[in-house]
Amino acid sequence: MKSAWKVIKEQIDHFYLIRRLSLYELKNKNKNNYLGMAWELISPSIQIMIYWFVFGLLLSREDVTMGGEPVPFILWLIGGFFVWTFFYQSIIQGSKSIYSRLRMLSKMNFPMSIIPSYVIFSQFYVHLAMISIAIIIYQVMGYYINIYYLQLIYCIFATFCLLFAISLITSTISTIVRDFHMLLSSTLRMFLYISGVLWPLSKLEEFPWLLNIMQLNPLYYLIQGYRAAFFGTEWFFITNWHLTIYFWIVIIVLLIIGANMHVRFRKHFIDFL
Amino acid sequence: MEKAIKVKNVSKKYKLYSGNKERFLDLVTPKSYGKDFYALTNVNFEAEKGDIVGFIGINGSGKSTLSNIIAGILPETTGFVKLNGEAALIAVASGLKGDLTGRDNIELKLLMLGFNKNEIKQLEPEIIEFAELETFIDQPVKSYSSGMKSRLGFAISVNINPDILIIDEALSVGDKAFAEKSLEKMREFKKRGKTMIFVSHSLGQMKEFCEKILWLEYGVVKDYGTTDEVLPKYEQFLKQWKKMSNKERKKYRNDKITENMKQFQSRAFIYGQRRRKW
């Protein structure tokens, strides 16, 4: 618990640093491309076109029901896919964040817990841009901005907390055992298929026990929250209050585990390089 | 006089593994695998404010390890280091990001050291001027020559105005003119009463600059005193060392290490020092 407070306090105290460093992060990554940061938007757009082509045209998926109304598959896909990209990129980058940047640090008293968070933050700018694109698409397609959009703020904050808690754990393990990062990057894609990004979990209605288990995936909770906002169906986190409580318990547990591991090992990270 | 650096009973242990299997077993099992290697054993030394201390010793004596520990880059295994003020280490290979320009690197580095926007704005032109990079300052660092890189690193570390400056073989880079300029800056620091640590193999520079000398031998303080006192002894040792054959050197080394370890272990036993795994 003490470590968790310490880590949270470091985030608050060094918020300016997180913001500035995350900008350098983006800059550094796209320095060699002529199109620069535009690639952060181009590559997910291409990906979504591929999925739309495969699932929307070739396999002609039927409309998905959101709050009693049918929604075209591609629009339903976009709402979850942008969250997925944010999640996937942040987890991958977050996991290698510490060991790949440790050499840069010239001081050990640098608050190391902000390394994963500024890496996540650099993905966050991209996420914001993608949300804006999604909103524009939705306006064109006739799903207008509504009062439920307010819950986007909650969803973004919750996503951030989840990513940070996971990254604290993964970045520590990856620094000590480099294989962990390889394992993570090769198994993470599985979550694309089980988190309700590509197909609605309601397809599993015949297997209620399986459906219940899959709903416990915190990523699923977040994706459904974003979609509820975009399509204006409900206040997702209130109507599913039991999932909300479960989600925050998971976050707190992950954060306590992650913070303890991080604080315990951070002094010795440099010995593992 | 005020103490600027206090190093007490500092030891640094590295684990030497014969392979990944041993490394893994050591990590997950409580039993200890691999061989212990002490880069530093029970090092004690103090420096007063304004002292200029030179670290000398043959290769592998732990000079860089000690300076890294004092700078706070490496953690010590046991013992503690107390500093009165901020320390900055200048080493040849200081962490610069190759894809970013020199200017971005300056800003990034200063940010990481905890400077705010205004301070950075103020420091940046001074650093650029000192580094003499001119138009290259807006080119990515990976296109720099090694001299340019170390000049940039040196310029950053010098201009952040630390209380304690640790210079690890960094003055041997760059051309004569830049080295002279750096020395000039050092003299300025000396006048301002800053504490400095020099790590160098150049005895000439040591003689000119340092007031005190810490002689390290295989991780142990062999001698610590004023330059006039220690340096002649070291020079004499070097002469002897040069005469030794490889076999003799090896024997000398092994004897010394066993002797040091024996002393260290008995002392650790007396004080009941807890030796941590990490």
Side-chain angles (χ1 to χ4, degrees), chain A residues 17 24 28 107-108 264 267, chain B residues 72 75 87 99 107 111 278:
Chain A
L17 203 56
Y24 279 105
N28 185 38
K107 280 250 127 207
M108 227 177 23
R264 180 161 168 216
K267 213 176 165 220
Chain B
D99 281 331
E107 280 174 31
L111 265 177
W278 299 108

Side-chain angles (χ1 to χ4, degrees), chain A residues 25 89-105 112-120 164 166-172 174-175 178 181 262 269 273, chain B residues 97 112:
Chain A
E25 193 61 33
Q89 290 294 343
S90 302
I91 294 292
I92 292 288
Q93 302 293 335
S95 157
K96 61 178 179 185
S97 62
I98 289 185
Y99 72 76
S100 58
R101 284 169 189 78
L102 212 50
R103 288 242 177 267
M104 252 311 270
L105 302 177
M112 277 197 217
S113 68
I114 72 166
I115 300 177
S117 60
Y118 84 71
V119 170
I120 297 171
F164 179 64
I166 295 177
S167 294
L168 265 184
I169 300 177
T170 55
S171 62
T172 307
S174 295
T175 308
R178 225 45 70 78
H181 180 71
H262 177 86
F269 280 154
L273 280 186
Chain B
K97 273 203 173 187
M112 290 213 164

Side-chain angles (χ1 to χ4, degrees), chain A residues 253-271:
Chain A
V253 170
L254 287 177
L255 190 68
I256 290 175
I257 296 174
N260 274 317
M261 285 172 72
H262 177 86
V263 171
R264 180 161 168 216
F265 284 106
R266 71 163 148 199
K267 213 176 165 220
H268 304 280
F269 280 154
I270 193 102
D271 287 337

Side-chain angles (χ1 to χ4, degrees), chain A residues 50-61:
Chain A
I50 294 169
Y51 283 117
W52 173 69
F53 181 71
V54 174
F55 292 108
L57 286 181
L58 289 184
L59 301 173
S60 54
R61 286 288 177 86

